[in-house]
Amino acid sequence: MTPPTGLDLVLEDGLAAARDTGDPRAVALAFEGLAGAHALAGRHAHAARLLGSAAAARSSVGAPLPAAERGDVERVTAAVRGSIGDRDFAVALGAGADVGLSAHCG
């Protein structure tokens, strides 16, 4: 597995700040940003779990993915799914959704 980069650390700080707000939408955005970084680093299963956690966070408050973010999330989703396959993607996405907002605490 690829070790964390400076970008990962900045995004983890962003997740911590989002958590501090108590706003699940902010946490979802942070999860989605981290998913993109993990996907770029080849950590596809972790990226899928983050996407699942983001979806769960949004669902918890009835907040759909904003149109302005949709393209980025769809690109990450397609890249991750293409890399690990539909079955493994679905399993990882579900695992992320199961832990939701409590996921990926640093």
Side-chain angles (χ1 to χ4, degrees):
M1 174 145 79
T2 307
T5 65
L7 176 59
D8 292 330
L9 299 176
V10 168
L11 291 170
E12 288 285 347
D13 286 346
L15 175 57
R19 285 182 188 286
D20 287 347
T21 71
D23 182 356
R25 295 168 299 174
V27 174
L29 282 169
F31 282 150
E32 290 154 358
L34 275 166
H38 283 278
L40 284 172
R43 299 183 296 263
H44 299 106
H46 192 64
R49 288 189 297 274
L50 286 160
L51 290 170
S53 294
R58 289 187 183 290
S59 178
S60 76
V61 291
L65 181 65
E69 305 298 328
R70 188 163 289 121
D72 291 336
V73 172
E74 287 175 352
R75 275 190 296 279
V76 171
T77 299
V80 170
R81 182 180 279 131
S83 177
I84 64 175
D86 289 338
R87 182 187 169 286
D88 288 344
F89 178 80
V91 168
L93 191 74
D98 286 345
V99 294
L101 291 174
S102 66
H104 322 286
C105 294

